[in-house]
Amino acid sequence: MPPDVVTLGESLIQFNALTRGPLRHVTLFERHVAGAETTVAVCVRRQVLTSGLITRVVDDDEFGKCIISWVRGEGVDDSQIRIDPEAPTGIYFVQRGFPVPSKSRMVYYRRGSAGSRLSPSDVDPQYLGAAKIFHTTGITPALSETALAATRKAVETAAANDVLISFDTNIRPVLWKSLDKAVDTLLPIIGKVDILFTDPTDASLLLGVNSVDEMLKGFLGLGVDTVILKMGEHGAIAATSSERASANAMPVYVEDPIGAGDAFAGTFIASRLKGRSLNESLVRAVIAGSLVVTVRGDEEALPSDDDIDANIHK
């Protein structure tokens, strides 16, 4: 059976600082498997749907082996993971609580990585075309020209086969030559999207507007069916042409906020696939994002349905 959800993007190794403060003073790190689209694929599996991941890794280094082992152990279909023998596994470091106490900063070492070498040949139209939802983010097209071409092929394949397209803007300025380049590249993709995840910073950059109403209206006007505006500690808002929903964030201790948005996206699309309403899907997504920030690592605290249910009325 084909997976319910197929994701496309780079799998990475994350080194998360055990102590807060500047990386120059950190001596101990935890190793985690990460990558936005990888996290969404794992999140969907935790909630008892099927998922598959399209990526590239190295199988002759320990980090590549770690990624394959983790993804396979979580039950994600690894049949579309391509082995690239000529490039290293991408890594990044997480600096926590500095210079802003409640924030984390990512320091990348991923240029020329295996995942950045994703190409259209890695996208199998028959495999992707049999899914229910295709998900990727604005990170993937920023990695390289071939990764951009792979993203475009995947989006076109999904659209041609009536596969719902889910997209998280996830603009990482450090990965783009310029923010104008990011806008010019992402807007045509967004025009083909069914479910869009974004935040006020990205939305303002992409649309040139500042109010929530203008952001929601602007993306709906581009043809997006469902727009979800993630607002961190202020919760989230979702809108279609005929419906609007909002959800408050859970009050939690924040250990590391990285990965919350991917837990949010994975939970929202899983909930919609299960037939839940816009409002219920949004509430569950906010809970998932809130739970993930309480630990270091993007995927360790990805919740099951039961975990979310336990927090519904908290």
Side-chain angles (χ1 to χ4, degrees):
M1 291 290 290
D4 297 311
V5 178
V6 173
T7 70
L8 168 76
E10 181 176 16
S11 298
L12 295 154
I13 291 294
Q14 174 195 103
F15 289 100
N16 203 306
L18 289 184
T19 53
R20 295 172 182 264
L23 285 179
R24 63 183 178 270
H25 298 308
V26 176
T27 57
L28 297 174
F29 297 85
E30 284 181 341
R31 187 270 302 147
H32 303 273
V33 172
E37 297 85 359
T38 307
T39 301
V40 169
V42 173
C43 183
V44 168
R45 280 296 300 133
R46 291 273 177 96
Q47 295 175 35
V48 204
L49 293 176
T50 56
S51 66
L53 173 65
I54 302 172
T55 193
R56 285 194 183 202
V57 301
V58 190
D59 69 345
D60 63 352
D61 74 16
E62 292 300 319
F63 292 151
K65 291 176 181 178
C66 175
I67 289 170
I68 293 173
S69 177
W70 172 262
V71 169
R72 186 177 293 159
E74 288 292 325
V76 176
D77 178 30
D78 64 351
S79 66
Q80 304 301 300
I81 296 180
R82 307 305 184 201
I83 304 303
D84 189 326
E86 299 177 358
T89 302
I91 65 173
Y92 70 99
F93 292 81
V94 177
Q95 175 175 281
R96 297 190 301 113
F98 183 85
V100 181
S102 62
K103 304 294 184 181
S104 291
R105 179 187 173 206
M106 294 174 285
V107 181
Y108 293 123
Y109 294 86
R110 65 197 298 183
R111 188 180 299 276
S113 66
S116 73
R117 288 157 59 95
L118 276 164
S119 74
S121 64
D122 298 322
V123 179
D124 180 348
Q126 185 174 2
Y127 181 84
L128 178 55
K132 296 176 182 175
I133 292 182
F134 165 66
H135 178 83
T136 192
T137 77
I139 296 172
T140 304
L143 297 177
S144 66
E145 288 300 318
T146 61
L148 171 58
T151 303
R152 288 172 171 160
K153 179 180 178 181
V155 168
E156 291 166 1
T157 298
N161 288 276
D162 295 322
V163 177
L164 291 176
I165 301 169
S166 169
F167 188 81
D168 192 329
T169 55
N170 251 347
I171 297 175
R172 300 284 189 264
V174 69
L175 297 178
W176 292 96
K177 292 181 179 179
S178 71
L179 291 178
D180 286 342
K181 176 68 172 177
V183 173
D184 291 343
T185 301
L186 297 182
L187 278 178
I189 295 172
I190 290 170
K192 300 177 182 179
V193 165
D194 298 291
I195 302 171
L196 179 70
F197 301 94
T198 190
D199 59 50
T201 300
D202 285 4
S204 179
L205 176 65
L206 289 162
L207 298 176
V209 299
N210 295 311
S211 76
V212 167
D213 285 342
E214 287 177 311
M215 292 171 184
L216 296 173
K217 184 178 179 180
F219 286 122
L220 291 172
L222 291 177
V224 177
D225 289 335
T226 304
V227 181
I228 302 98
L229 197 62
K230 300 175 292 182
M231 304 176 72
E233 65 270 22
H234 301 296
I237 298 173
T240 68
S241 59
S242 60
E243 188 178 5
R244 185 176 289 202
S246 62
N248 295 323
M250 287 175 57
V252 295
Y253 166 75
V254 178
E255 178 71 12
D256 177 19
I258 296 174
D262 303 315
F264 182 105
T267 299
F268 185 89
I269 61 179
S271 296
R272 292 299 267 172
L273 278 177
K274 292 176 181 180
R276 295 188 171 110
S277 69
L278 182 70
N279 184 72
E280 185 179 4
S281 298
L282 190 68
V283 168
R284 298 181 75 85
V286 166
I287 290 171
S290 298
L291 293 175
V292 164
V293 306
T294 63
V295 303
R296 293 184 296 272
D298 296 9
E299 300 180 9
E300 283 74 2
L302 289 170
S304 66
D305 273 342
D306 287 344
D307 296 330
I308 295 173
D309 288 341
N311 287 279
I312 286 287
H313 301 297
K314 293 292 185 183

